[in-house]
Amino acid sequence: MTNLNLDAFVADLERLRSEAETALADAIDIEGLEAARVVFLGAKNGRLKAVQKGLGKLGRDDKPVGGQQFNAVKKSVEALFLQASQRVASQSKNSKGVEQVDVTLPGSPIRFGRVHPITQTIRRVSSIMANLGFEAVDGPEVEDQWHNFEALAIPNEHPARDPLDNFYIAVANADRPLLLRSQTSTVQIRVMEERKPPLRIVSLGRVYRPDTADATHYPMFHQVEGLLIEPGTTMAHLKSVLRSFASSFLGGDVRVRFRPSFFPFTEPSVEVDMEWNGRWIEMGGAGMVDPSVLQSVGYDPDEVCGFAFGLGVERIAARRFGVADIRDFYRNDIRFLEQFHDRGQA
Ligand code: FA5
């Protein structure tokens, strides 16, 4: 029997181990795994078996070391095979969804989201106004100067049109830039331009002003705009609608106060205050639609009249939820936001 050199035997073993490692790592399914097992660990013609035969050809002194080396490599290849089997099994579980479910394990709790308190407020306001007969309508947030100012009797030289008080949008070659609407009163005009009276509409949406953020101001906020055009409408109707709205929205008999004010598009005009903890908080503006506005949309002011109001949604939400600073609505702090839940409304 020819003697086999120990170094060559060990080198053979090492090559086998390395090739087995690659083949098992490459196996991606049970079939690939089985093929690699047959090649390396097969009882009849496996490569380990073949190398084992070489043991007998080692010189007598080399046999103990050769035997140890052989056993170590065999164990290592078996361990690699086990590892690869576990990997293939877990991959096929994940991809085929054949995982055995242990129904006795505790489940992972499902996290429920909450509707943002401003969205809750918008939905609730719409639903109360719908009960009062006001149809919800929408308007664009990017407006032209006609709808944001001119049709509302806000002339060119009016301070409300100052570039420092508005977000104008530069449009190439346009002598009249568009702007992010600064009030929802734009929607009154858009609806009146398209429809004939009688009208009862409510519009809720975002408006933008470069105001410094503080406890009652934010540069992006929401308004709720109401418009009612019907023969015989008076300020008494306006106040009773606002009072019904405030009592439904805030609960209880909420006192509403009118303070004389000025808006170019209403005559007379008032500031609307609501009582909160013994204090009066300004919620918005209102008044009888100015005849010049009715004219600008093609209505005859001798035949039709009506009222309009615009309230700050963040302010009424703050009042309802007892929030002292409207900036908290937009800090995105989940611990703050998850406190608010209008049952049945959100
Ligand atoms: C207006 O915007 C008028 N369009 C309201 C109106 C409508 C009057 C129809 C007459 C007829 P004013 O600028 O006051 O009015 O804003 C109305 C309300 O929006 C304010 O009372 C306040 O509640 C809210 N508001 C105004 N600025 C901000 C701001 N920066 N952040 C949050 N809320 C604001």
Side-chain angles (χ1 to χ4, degrees):
M1 195 189 283
T2 38
N3 268 359
L4 180 65
N5 175 301
L6 179 63
D7 289 346
F9 178 76
V10 171
D12 268 358
L13 272 176
E14 190 41 46
R15 197 173 319 112
L16 184 154
R17 202 199 62 76
S18 146
E19 286 175 18
E21 185 172 31
T22 310
L24 288 165
D26 287 349
I28 49 165
D29 51 20
I30 292 178
E31 290 75 26
L33 201 63
E34 177 58 11
R37 189 194 66 74
V38 170
V39 169
F40 293 98
L41 294 165
K44 273 193 187 162
N45 298 317
R47 285 188 46 193
L48 261 175
K49 201 77 198 164
V51 175
Q52 193 179 13
K53 285 181 191 152
L55 254 183
K57 296 182 196 163
L58 286 176
R60 191 178 339 162
D61 293 348
D62 291 338
K63 271 192 181 130
V65 179
Q68 275 172 10
Q69 294 285 338
F70 175 80
N71 285 335
V73 169
K74 186 171 180 226
K75 269 195 185 143
S76 155
V77 173
E78 284 168 351
L80 286 168
F81 176 72
L82 194 68
Q83 248 175 38
S85 314
Q86 285 165 348
R87 173 176 53 77
V88 168
S90 87
Q91 278 166 355
S92 79
K93 255 187 228 165
N94 293 343
S95 62
K96 292 181 191 157
V98 292
E99 189 180 4
Q100 296 283 313
V101 175
D102 181 351
V103 291
T104 62
L105 285 175
S108 6
I110 298 170
R111 281 179 67 95
F112 285 105
R114 292 266 162 88
V115 175
H116 191 280
I118 295 298
T119 308
Q120 290 180 33
T121 305
I122 287 171
R123 291 183 185 174
R124 193 165 160 76
V125 170
S126 292
S127 120
I128 293 170
M129 293 307 293
N131 290 341
L132 294 172
F134 287 74
E135 172 200 351
V137 291
D138 248 343
E141 287 178 24
V142 175
E143 261 299 0
D144 53 44
Q145 303 204 27
W146 167 255
H147 291 96
N148 202 84
F149 300 125
E150 283 144 24
L152 289 160
I154 304 174
N156 215 6
E157 62 282 1
H158 196 282
R161 294 177 73 154
D162 194 302
L164 294 176
D165 289 330
N166 293 283
F167 289 109
Y168 284 103
I169 299 170
V171 182
N173 302 325
D175 52 348
R176 288 161 57 79
L178 300 173
L179 75 160
L180 295 179
R181 68 179 176 189
S182 60
Q183 50 183 345
T184 42
S185 299
T186 52
V187 186
Q188 294 180 32
I189 304 299
R190 289 193 171 270
V191 173
M192 288 192 287
E193 279 174 338
E194 278 177 13
R195 302 199 205 164
K196 293 276 161 252
L199 288 177
R200 273 191 200 200
I201 54 127
V202 65
S203 188
L204 283 120
R206 283 189 202 98
V207 298
Y208 304 84
R209 293 181 193 177
D211 289 346
T212 304
D214 62 21
T216 51
H217 292 84
Y218 210 71
M220 182 282 303
F221 61 103
H222 296 74
Q223 287 188 334
V224 45
E225 187 87 11
L227 173 73
L228 181 146
I229 307 279
E230 274 171 34
T233 306
T234 67
M235 290 288 278
H237 296 120
L238 169 63
K239 195 162 191 183
S240 84
V241 164
L242 285 171
R243 195 164 173 180
S244 304
F245 162 72
S247 299
S248 304
F249 181 75
L250 298 170
D253 187 16
V254 178
R255 292 210 296 161
V256 173
R257 178 174 83 175
F258 281 177
R259 268 181 301 123
S261 185
F262 174 78
F263 294 100
F265 38 93
T266 45
E267 180 57 37
S269 301
V270 291
E271 297 289 345
V272 181
D273 299 339
M274 293 177 191
E275 204 183 9
W276 184 7
N277 292 340
R279 280 197 306 140
W280 289 98
I281 308 285
E282 179 200 308
M283 295 292 178
M288 300 302 291
V289 180
D290 194 287
S292 66
V293 173
L294 297 172
Q295 249 163 359
S296 73
V297 295
Y299 288 3
D300 179 352
D302 290 331
E303 281 183 9
V304 295
C305 65
F307 67 68
F309 63 86
L311 311 178
V313 170
E314 282 71 7
R315 302 234 183 132
I316 58 175
R319 164 74 172 79
R320 175 175 170 81
F321 294 124
V323 169
D325 188 330
I326 66 165
R327 285 171 294 189
D328 286 335
F329 288 127
Y330 297 115
R331 285 194 221 278
N332 254 354
D333 184 339
I334 201 102
R335 292 164 304 174
F336 171 81
L337 294 173
E338 68 186 1
Q339 300 173 81
F340 309 108
H341 191 50
D342 258 354
R343 255 167 244 100
Q345 293 297 329

